[in-house]
Amino acid sequence: EVQLVESGGGLVQPGRSLRLSCTASGFTFGDYGLGWVRQAPGKGLEWVGFIRSKGYGGTTEYAASVEGRFTVSRDDSQSIAYLQMNSLRTEDTAVYHCSRGRTFRGVKYWFDSWGQGTLVTVS
Amino acid sequence: AIQLTQSPSSLSASVGDRVTITCRASQGISSALAWYQQKPGRAPNLLISDASSLESGVPSRFSGSGSGTDFTLTISSLQPEDSVTYYCQQFNSFPLTFGGGTKVEIK
């Protein structure tokens, strides 16, 4: 069974940093891209960032709202993905989900499994 | 960035009704659209990918159609457990984007 478990959320002051982790099991982690999607309280889904598998270059993509502040990385040896969040703002307050990316030829990605999320509160 | 406009933002229907949710893209995305269902306090769940491909384990009352800029998610016979929120997502290009969501309620 595919499982994704996020951790590392909490209360943080504006301008500070936080690193989220996503621990995966039940599949060959290195074969998949991983995404981060957030959901502010009472709001919809917002894609944050994505990292491709090493087979597709291991490159990253970011939403404009977090570009330059957030960094996605991965450790395939431990089946963990990370979201490093710097210069946090009050508008970054949200539940952050990690999600497994299914791909068409390494170009197009959608998300076929999701973690329950971890709450980040910037205040 | 490609914008996705979902409509309606909420709807109320009776058990057994046919329900249709639409998702319109600001530019053509071929069939690169997914639909997700999200129950309160839970992670989203993938229902449909590639506009019309039903995920394994998803009830057959769910179906998707469309290509280009106009897409629909149809529930052929609404069940009480379908009373949750639905989102579309385009994956034609980065940045990936989601629609604003449609909340389905039972009358």
Side-chain angles (χ1 to χ4, degrees), chain A residues 39 102 108-111 115, chain B residues 36 38 43 49 55 91-92:
Chain A
Q39 188 166 32
R102 192 187 297 174
K108 302 185 180 187
Y109 291 90
W110 61 102
F111 302 117
Chain B
Y36 302 88
Q38 187 179 31
S49 61
E55 281 295 292
F91 54 90
N92 188 67

Side-chain angles (χ1 to χ4, degrees), chain A residues 108, chain B residues 29-34 49-51 67-68 71 89-93:
Chain A
K108 302 185 180 187
Chain B
I29 58 171
S30 184
S31 62
L33 190 95
S49 61
D50 220 27
S67 68
F71 302 85
Q89 178 230 326
Q90 69 80 21
F91 54 90
N92 188 67
S93 62

Side-chain angles (χ1 to χ4, degrees), chain A residues 2-123:
Chain A
V2 173
Q3 282 200 317
L4 299 165
V5 180
E6 303 89 342
S7 60
L11 176 63
V12 60
Q13 293 177 327
R16 304 297 290 263
S17 299
L18 204 61
R19 187 178 80 161
L20 306 183
S21 299
C22 170
T23 303
S25 61
F27 64 100
T28 304
F29 184 80
D31 288 349
Y32 288 85
L34 273 297
W36 289 91
V37 176
R38 68 185 179 184
Q39 188 166 32
K43 301 297 185 182
L45 302 172
E46 180 189 15
W47 170 73
V48 172
F50 185 82
I51 186 165
R52 295 176 178 82
S53 66
K54 296 246 181 348
Y56 286 114
T59 51
T60 54
E61 306 281 351
Y62 298 98
S65 58
V66 306
E67 179 93 55
R69 299 189 298 125
F70 289 13
T71 302
V72 181
S73 60
R74 61 189 299 155
D75 181 344
D76 289 354
S77 68
Q78 302 222 44
S79 299
I80 301 178
Y82 300 100
L83 179 65
Q84 176 68 42
M85 304 184 294
N86 299 332
S87 303
L88 281 162
R89 305 167 180 168
T90 55
E91 56 263 36
D92 294 321
T93 294
V95 172
Y96 285 73
H97 297 276
C98 71
S99 48
R100 189 179 78 166
R102 192 187 297 174
T103 185
F104 177 71
R105 297 181 182 178
V107 175
K108 302 185 180 187
Y109 291 90
W110 61 102
F111 302 117
D112 66 356
S113 294
W114 297 63
Q116 288 300 314
T118 186
L119 176 62
V120 173
T121 303
V122 185
S123 176

Side-chain angles (χ1 to χ4, degrees), chain B residues 71-88:
Chain B
F71 302 85
T72 60
L73 172 69
T74 300
I75 308 173
S76 60
S77 178
L78 188 68
Q79 300 301 302
E81 60 267 30
D82 302 334
S83 179
V84 293
T85 302
Y86 297 85
Y87 294 93
C88 56

